[in-house]
Amino acid sequence: MSYLKYGFDPVQIERIKQKMKHPETKERVKMILHGVTKADLQDRIKVRRFVGMLTKALGEKVTDQQTEHLVNFVISQRIDPNNTFHLIKLWAMFR
């Protein structure tokens, strides 16, 4: 699991995956990320803001260090939300 090298806690990942199975939570996350572009996901300030909004929507407490790990992960993955291959790669990483 390549997300482990970024300092993610596997227990927290499992907890978030369970929360994302609830339709209401999934819709909230979709609304937050609606219209996000590749350029947005390469901007540290915007990614940090997204992390804050998403952790609040999921009810997860994250430390500053965990936030920085998340930001570094998103930027290093060079995610293009309009590229199906990128989304499949992320899905496979966390399934």
Side-chain angles (χ1 to χ4, degrees):
M1 294 184 221
S2 65
Y3 64 82
L4 291 176
K5 69 180 181 181
Y6 287 93
F8 293 124
D9 178 19
V11 174
Q12 186 178 31
I13 296 295
E14 288 302 317
R15 193 170 54 241
I16 291 170
K17 285 179 2 183
Q18 289 300 317
K19 289 180 181 184
M20 287 297 295
K21 290 182 180 179
H22 298 319
E24 303 87 31
T25 305
K26 186 184 273 189
E27 284 304 314
R28 254 184 285 159
V29 169
K30 282 182 181 180
M31 291 301 293
I32 291 170
L33 295 175
H34 181 74
V36 172
T37 65
K38 183 176 181 177
D40 293 337
L41 296 177
Q42 290 299 301
D43 183 347
R44 277 192 172 281
I45 295 169
K46 288 183 182 180
V47 172
R48 189 171 281 117
R49 191 173 339 136
F50 288 135
V51 167
M53 288 188 289
L54 292 170
T55 56
K56 189 173 182 179
L58 291 169
E60 286 291 318
K61 302 281 187 204
V62 293
T63 64
D64 290 338
Q65 184 180 18
Q66 289 172 319
T67 300
E68 197 57 36
H69 289 308
L70 285 163
V71 170
N72 290 337
F73 174 77
V74 170
I75 290 175
S76 69
Q77 295 300 309
R78 300 191 184 283
I79 302 164
D80 182 359
N82 296 319
N83 185 327
T84 305
F85 177 71
H86 287 201
L87 300 178
I88 290 171
K89 184 175 100 174
L90 281 173
W91 175 79
M93 189 183 301
F94 288 99
R95 64 182 180 132

